[in-house]
RNA sequence: GGUGCCAUAGCUCAGUUGGUAGAGCAACGGACUGAAAAUCCGUGUGUCCCUAGUUCGAUUCUUGGUGGCACCA
């Protein structure tokens, strides 16, 4: 697709609880545009509290996409997100020169900005059979098969990581080609310009915010929200901080207090992992959201970059 | 006021028959192209409360402090 004017995707990213939502809403309002969420969990309408979805007030200020747009019962992946987001962006860029994307799911952001290699979608049946083989025959057995089908990737892969090994096998089996021969690592060129804005704050401040936010979630009814989806606990969408811990509490494995402490800790660790992911992307311009008027600072920067 | 016990990692504590120390939790660093809030890998980060002794050497023993706890007044 070729546009007759320069189109910009402004990506607001950063760890959880840094204040991305506020920045993105302010930015979208001043740019007179809409927001595309890039969050692998806020898309599930059953999980408003635990995923810290934007508030109804915030949603009323700017039109948001991919917020509460799906159900936890429909499996979804980053690959599908790439497709959905590109279709949506094509529509939005007809109306707007600038679109704001906001989220903390690094892989999803990369999918949109850099693209994935052309690989057929995941086959649920195959994944299921690999999962049960992992359980029954063990990781070593799957590793043996991977060594046979793709010796090159076998050397490279993290052999302790079942997800990586199974994913590689999946691709080898469905395509009939070694995974390593398909993985190019090449970035796709998008028909729009990309401006990445990072939102961060000092670690200790962020951890305080995370801890406080979890307490607020509990006050807002996180426990009940988790109970409502308990029967779907095996769905991928519920392999999520805030829910796994509550499920362990419901199962009597831990106390309610322990569950809350673990939600805080796991949120902190999640934030750390997000930092690690974003740290290697040198194209991100970072802003400290613990300082007054970040939204204005970010807007000035973006306006200058358009 | 007296007596006793305690003081070691961010927290709870173990330990060193005198050779500068280690567990759990927390924390920290990293990987990651269709499960990604997932999954996986790595790392002790320390005035052993202070002071003066004894000693080749003190976190360990002794003296005197300081702080905390308990009991007695």
């Amino acid at each position: 697709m070729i546009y007759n004017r320069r189109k910009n995707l402004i990506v607001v990213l950063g760890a959880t609880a840094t204040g991305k939502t506020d920045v993105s809403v302010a930015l979208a309002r001043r740019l007179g545009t809409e927001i595309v969420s890039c969050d692998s969990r806020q898309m599930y309408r059953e999980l408003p509290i635990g995923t810290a979805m934007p508030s109804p007030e915030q949603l009323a200020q700017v039109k948001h996409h991919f917020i509460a747009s799906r159900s936890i019962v429909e499996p979804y992946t980053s690959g599908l997100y790439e497709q959905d987001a590109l279709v949506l962006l094509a529509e939005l860029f007809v109306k707007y020169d600038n679109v704001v994307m906001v989220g903390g799911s690094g892989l999803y952001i990369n999918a949109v900005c850099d693209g994935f290699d052309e690989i057929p979608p995941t086959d649920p049946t195959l994944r299921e059979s690999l999962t049960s083989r992992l359980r029954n025959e063990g990781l070593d057995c799957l590793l043996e098969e991977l060594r046979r089908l793709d010796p090159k990737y076998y050397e490279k892969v993290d052999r302790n990581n079942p997800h990586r090994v199974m994913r590689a096998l999946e691709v080898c089996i469905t395509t009939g080609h070694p995974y390593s021969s398909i993985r190019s690592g090449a970035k796709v060129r998008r028909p729009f310009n990309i401006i990445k804005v990072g939102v961060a704050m000092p670690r200790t401040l962020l951890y305080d915010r995370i801890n406080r936010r979890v307490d607020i979630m509990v006050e807002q009814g996180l426990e009940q929200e988790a109970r409502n989806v308990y029967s779907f606990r095996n769905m991928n969408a519920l392999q999520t901080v805030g829910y796994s811990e509550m499920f362990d509490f419901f199962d009597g494995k831990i106390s309610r207090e322990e569950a809350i402490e673990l939600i805080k800790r796991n949120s902190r660790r999640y934030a750390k992992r997000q930092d690690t992911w974003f740290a290697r992307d040198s194209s991100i311009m970072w802003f400290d959201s613990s300082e007054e008027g970040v939204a204005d600072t970010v807007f000035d920067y973006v306006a200058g970059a358009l």
Side-chain angles (χ1 to χ4, degrees), chain A residues 134 139-140 143 154 157-165:
Chain A
L134 172 71
L139 184 57
D140 287 346
L143 273 168
Y154 172 84
V157 72
D158 176 355
R159 287 176 223 155
N160 290 307
N161 192 330
H163 282 195
R164 293 282 131 70
V165 173

Side-chain angles (χ1 to χ4, degrees), chain A residues 3 20 26 72 139-140 159 167 215 221 247 263 270 286:
Chain A
Y3 300 104
K20 295 186 295 291
I72 54 169
L139 184 57
D140 287 346
R159 287 176 223 155
R167 170 63 186 154
D215 285 331
F247 297 157
I263 293 170
Y270 171 49
W286 288 97

Side-chain angles (χ1 to χ4, degrees), chain A residues 105-128:
Chain A
S105 303
L107 183 65
Y108 283 42
I109 293 171
N110 281 12
V112 171
C113 296
D114 302 329
F116 282 151
D117 289 317
E118 289 290 328
I119 301 175
T122 307
D123 172 7
T125 319
L126 177 58
R127 172 158 297 179
E128 217 167 285

